[in-house]
Amino acid sequence: MDLTYTEEEEAFRAGLRGWLAEALPKLPPKPSPDDWPGRRAYDTAWQRTLYDAGYGEVHWDASPTRRLIFLEETEKAGAPYVGANFVGLLHAGPTIASEGTPEQRARWLPPMLRGDEVWCQGFSEPDAGSDLASLRTRAWRDGDDYVVSGSKIWTSHAEVADWCELLVRTTPVSAQVPKHRGITWLALPMDAPGITVRPLRTLAGSAEFAEVFLDEVRVPVANRVGAENDGWRVTMVTLSFERGTAFVGEVVACRRLLGELARAARANGRWDDPVLRRGLGRLGAEFAALWRLTQWNVSEAQRTGGVPGVGGSVFKLRYSHARQELYDAAARVLGPGALDLDEPWTRERLSSLSYTIAAGTSQIQRNIVAERILGLPKGR
């Protein structure tokens, strides 16, 4: 395993840095966090700018190492995050690139890269909890269509999405069909008749999630990614990208925020607290280790064909807790100001509480680490 960058990769980094230095000052002001139509317009315009500059394909056509450099440099430069394009670029896109047919890749990938179409994620269900395989949304064949009925919850960006990566049950659970089988991965057009979207407001005040109700919605069989009843395997590809690379830019952001926090502590006198200093130092070491783990995961993905492995679960487990600890430290630095909901640090602290639940809870990640890395027996 080699964690150093080649001359070609360093040249890519230098070119990207130069382009960002020219492009970022031309950006308009960011819209309000609650203005999702405005955020969609802002995020897709930035994606189009990247596409026109030749960086649109970096999320799945480039090597994992170039993708890592891209995420590292854009975050360091303060470039816009993927935002409304999160599911398309970091989940659905890599999955379709890996598992889709040539026709599916030609239909869905270019509009994602150009910022023309936004995707949402229809995985979670009200009664499934952390057990994704317990989903109940049903789909049955009727000619060249699937007919889908059920409901989803915590559907990211559903309010402004054109497409949804949707998991449905195509074969009921039985003694012969365990719950991890009988699942199918579909691309659902969000303007299809029978779809109702109800936005959900989070603790941090954002409405990035929604409930989605599906009442006999017709989805062409041609929109199925992978084989019928093979959706669990396809979903593992999606989740491997989510846990393996989707949070890479956020680690860079956390290291930058840690520096800002230290400067704020020096300015308001809290730096004199030795307990606080030790805590910030330990977090600095933690994020440095997470970055090296990210490099290892990316190196392994490049060696094994591009799909991140179960090392992503180790990263997700530790990163989500470290992020919460970072914002707990911020609250100690800010003091009473940490209760002000108009402070970005406060909103981010509230948002950080979701990280040990989103993208698979910490309990789920521990099970994966125990079974697939440590080789421990499965629990009942």
Side-chain angles (χ1 to χ4, degrees), residues 171-378:
T171 299
V173 177
S174 67
Q176 292 75 35
V177 181
K179 62 183 179 181
H180 291 80
R181 298 178 184 171
I183 293 173
T184 299
W185 201 108
L186 299 177
L188 167 73
M190 290 298 287
D191 60 353
I195 299 176
T196 302
V197 177
R198 294 179 185 170
L200 294 170
R201 189 163 294 278
T202 69
L203 181 67
S206 173
E208 65 189 87
F209 298 119
E211 294 177 287
V212 177
F213 300 91
L214 305 155
D215 183 12
E216 298 193 349
V217 179
R218 301 189 77 87
V219 182
V221 173
N223 287 18
R224 187 187 69 216
V225 176
E228 184 171 294
N229 297 325
D230 192 31
W232 186 253
R233 185 192 60 78
V234 179
T235 300
M236 292 303 103
V237 174
T238 305
L239 296 180
S240 293
F241 282 109
E242 181 177 43
R243 295 162 186 167
T245 58
F247 295 104
V248 168
E250 296 189 24
V251 173
V252 180
C254 284
R255 297 181 76 176
R256 175 172 50 78
L257 292 173
L258 190 61
E260 292 179 9
L261 196 57
R263 286 190 287 277
R266 289 189 180 95
N268 66 15
R270 294 184 187 274
W271 190 251
D272 295 334
D273 180 351
V275 176
L276 177 65
R277 289 202 307 274
R278 279 197 299 273
L280 296 182
R282 187 185 59 76
L283 279 171
E286 184 97 44
F287 285 115
L290 282 168
W291 181 250
R292 299 300 282 180
L293 176 59
T294 297
Q295 289 180 301
W296 183 86
N297 285 335
V298 168
S299 178
E300 280 296 284
Q302 188 149 305
R303 184 180 66 82
T304 58
V307 178
V310 293
S313 289
V314 180
F315 171 86
K316 168 63 176 57
L317 176 62
R318 193 51 224 164
Y319 168 70
S320 56
H321 287 273
R323 184 181 177 92
Q324 290 181 357
E325 291 168 10
L326 171 65
Y327 285 101
D328 286 347
R332 290 194 293 276
V333 171
L334 295 173
L339 301 176
D340 184 354
L341 289 177
D342 291 329
E343 283 283 346
W345 278 101
T346 305
R347 291 197 298 272
E348 289 296 332
R349 186 189 186 200
L350 294 175
S351 178
S352 75
L353 299 175
S354 68
Y355 274 66
T356 47
I357 301 172
T361 65
S362 291
Q363 289 81 3
I364 294 291
Q365 307 307 327
R366 289 190 181 97
N367 278 342
I368 293 172
V369 170
E371 295 169 4
R372 301 186 196 174
I373 296 179
L374 301 179
L376 298 177
K378 289 180 178 291

Side-chain angles (χ1 to χ4, degrees), residues 33 35-37 39-40 43-44 81-92 117-123 153-165 188 190 195 197-200 202 206-212 242 250 355:
D35 178 11
W36 271 98
R39 290 179 66 177
R40 173 189 161 123
D43 296 338
T44 53
Y81 189 51
V82 286
N85 297 306
F86 180 88
V87 173
L89 293 175
L90 303 182
H91 294 189
E117 293 179 345
V118 168
W119 286 62
C120 62
Q121 185 180 58
F123 281 14
I153 195 167
W154 312 123
T155 306
S156 308
H157 310 145
E159 189 180 5
V160 295
D162 304 292
W163 291 89
C164 176
E165 53 174 14
L188 167 73
M190 290 298 287
I195 299 176
V197 177
R198 294 179 185 170
L200 294 170
T202 69
S206 173
E208 65 189 87
F209 298 119
E211 294 177 287
V212 177
E242 181 177 43
E250 296 189 24
Y355 274 66

